[in-house]
Amino acid sequence: MSSRENPQPYFTPQMTNLLKGVAVVFMMIHHFFTFPEWYIPGIAYPELSGFAAHFQEPFKICVVVFAFITGYVYYFQPRKTYGYSMRKITDLLVSYWVVLIPFTLLAIGLGCYSFDLPGFLLELFALKRPIMFFCWYVCFYCVAMLLLPLLVKFI
């Protein structure tokens, strides 16, 4: 069997974890510090205004890194099946729900959110996001994992 039929990954699992860690830090910086218009009234960081103006776009690279790692890891996965994709989607959704459900209960308790079952069911799959506003990547990841078993047939 040639190396073309059984390619070996260039990045080790430790390297992909390091890349994910850097991407998470970039994501936190991007969301917390580069959008002054999102600061809570009464809280301001005037020292960051120059930083925010220049670094909002570059820190978006975290999205590209996550998307790359998703495809990269999938490519080297020996079982490129819908079963594998569904397990990865389920793993992500369960982690997402562990955050979503307490935040939803907190928002209801604080009177910031009016619960409605259809809206909550949509938010369980990040299709509607009044509580977890920044979770659009959850949908992207699910769609990517559903498309990858098809796309891999063309590689």
Side-chain angles (χ1 to χ4, degrees):
M1 184 181 301
S2 74
S3 63
R4 184 176 170 107
E5 293 171 14
N6 190 15
Q8 296 301 308
Y10 179 75
F11 296 131
T12 64
Q14 294 80 9
M15 178 57 76
T16 56
N17 283 339
L18 178 68
L19 289 171
K20 285 189 273 187
V22 169
V24 166
V25 170
F26 280 18
M27 179 182 63
M28 301 300 271
I29 291 169
H30 177 64
H31 287 141
F32 289 150
F33 301 114
T34 65
F35 291 95
E37 64 274 15
W38 293 348
Y39 294 163
I40 297 170
I43 296 178
Y45 303 102
E47 308 84 23
L48 292 179
S49 61
F51 173 84
H54 295 292
F55 287 96
Q56 188 177 61
E57 293 300 317
F59 277 99
K60 283 184 182 177
I61 197 166
C62 61
V63 174
V64 176
V65 172
F66 287 128
F68 168 78
I69 290 171
T70 298
Y72 182 82
V73 169
Y74 189 88
Y75 177 77
F76 291 106
Q77 169 59 35
R79 296 171 289 124
K80 296 173 180 68
T81 64
Y82 275 107
Y84 172 78
S85 289
M86 292 309 292
R87 185 176 64 80
K88 297 302 287 184
I89 289 169
T90 303
D91 290 349
L92 176 70
L93 287 175
V94 168
S95 297
Y96 169 66
W97 296 338
V98 164
V99 176
L100 170 66
I101 292 170
F103 277 14
T104 301
L105 293 173
L106 184 63
I108 292 168
L110 292 172
C112 304
Y113 176 70
S114 297
F115 181 82
D116 72 297
L117 186 60
F120 179 72
L121 293 175
L122 288 172
E123 189 150 19
L124 281 175
F125 297 96
L127 297 171
K128 183 178 176 185
R129 302 183 314 268
I131 303 287
M132 302 286 280
F133 181 77
F134 293 110
C135 70
W136 65 267
Y137 194 85
V138 172
C139 281
F140 172 83
Y141 181 83
C142 293
V143 169
M145 291 307 292
L146 291 173
L147 288 176
L148 283 170
L150 294 173
L151 293 175
V152 78
K153 306 273 189 230
F154 298 104
I155 297 176

